[in-house]
Amino acid sequence: MQRARLAEARLAILLLTRIPVGYLRDPIPATGASAWAWPLAGLIAMLPASLVYWGLHAAGFGPTVAALGLICAATLLTGAMHEDGLADMADGFGGGQTRARKLEIMRDSRIGSYGVMALILSVALHVTLIARLDNPALVVPAALGLSMASRAMLPFWLARMPAARADGLGHGAAQVPATCVYVAVALGLFGVLPLGFGVGAVIFAGVVVATALVAALALRQIGGQTGDVIGAMQKLAELSGWGVAVYLVG
């Protein structure tokens, strides 16, 4: 059983980051079975990025450059997969008139004006919120916790929402066991508790609301979830969590 859990954790890291953890041997776990470890993958990716932030801030580069360093490092470590999902969802939902056309645009590897603006605005907001805190003692635990919390709700919505298409990552990951959902949510909540029980609970509530809004929009636009929707959900949940954190402690 321990070997199976380790294989699931390694699959989560392979799926959500670009951190090398070696090859998986048969039997390879199902994607949905690795969902419990997605918050851990977020934690592992954010640890080096947080060190980059701390180093730049300690070196006197200021809060804005330090925030940019954190975001750049995190983006490299995750392969920008969540940013890609946000851009694709913005292009599809903004540019398509029918469900079929929206899905077609989202699958297109080219980026459109909606996607470009979504990325520009999201990065600008991300930098602004992190720089507003301007305190490594707050930013580092917030970055680690939100990296976990924003991925904790993804298994829940994968389990609750139908797949919008019959193939792709969203369809392949849709079979998430209930136990994986519970463990992921617990890990995500645990991740923000270092900020204080009350503050952490409110931040996690903000993450839940953000993911619910994205889920409702996706159901209305395309009738379910895709890998792009799940990626965008993570990014918007993380930004919402930062917004709540700044409001509460900034």
Side-chain angles (χ1 to χ4, degrees):
M1 183 174 292
Q2 291 179 347
R3 186 174 298 177
R5 300 294 85 77
L6 180 60
E8 291 163 2
R10 289 173 64 194
L11 178 59
I13 296 170
L14 286 170
L15 179 66
L16 298 185
T17 78
R18 293 297 180 267
I19 299 172
V21 291
Y23 293 101
L24 291 174
R25 297 180 179 179
D26 292 331
I28 297 176
T31 302
S34 73
W36 69 268
W38 291 358
L40 295 181
L43 173 65
I44 291 170
M46 189 55 69
L47 278 169
S50 296
L51 289 176
V52 170
Y53 171 86
W54 181 87
L56 290 172
H57 197 283
F61 283 96
T64 302
V65 173
L68 275 171
L70 185 148
I71 294 169
C72 289
T75 301
L76 289 173
L77 289 164
T78 60
M81 66 178 303
H82 305 299
E83 288 80 3
D84 179 72
L86 176 62
D88 286 343
M89 191 182 80
D91 278 335
F93 289 8
Q97 298 298 316
T98 65
R99 176 180 179 274
R101 180 56 180 155
K102 292 175 193 292
L103 289 171
E104 180 184 358
I105 293 173
M106 291 168 70
R107 176 158 280 179
D108 193 332
S109 61
R110 294 169 296 182
I111 188 171
S113 55
Y114 286 105
V116 170
M117 288 306 301
L119 291 178
I120 291 174
L121 293 175
S122 66
V123 171
L125 178 59
H126 206 167
V127 170
T128 301
L129 291 172
I130 296 173
R132 177 72 179 272
L133 288 180
D134 190 20
N135 184 350
L138 292 175
V139 170
V140 170
L144 296 174
L146 284 170
S147 189
M148 296 178 69
S150 60
R151 290 166 174 83
M153 290 303 298
L154 306 186
F156 174 83
W157 291 112
L158 275 172
R160 294 293 300 271
M161 296 174 68
R165 54 167 65 103
D167 59 355
L169 179 60
H171 181 268
Q175 302 301 319
V176 180
T179 303
C180 290
V181 174
Y182 301 144
V183 173
V185 171
L187 288 173
L189 182 57
F190 178 78
V192 293
L193 289 184
L195 296 169
F197 183 83
V199 171
V202 176
I203 289 174
F204 193 79
V207 168
V208 172
V209 171
T211 59
L213 291 174
V214 176
L217 177 63
L219 286 170
R220 180 176 180 180
Q221 292 282 328
I222 57 175
Q225 52 80 15
T226 67
D228 289 329
V229 169
I230 297 301
M233 188 179 284
Q234 185 279 327
K235 202 73 238 169
L236 294 174
E238 190 173 30
L239 288 172
S240 298
W242 277 109
V244 175
V246 168
Y247 178 78
L248 293 176
V249 301

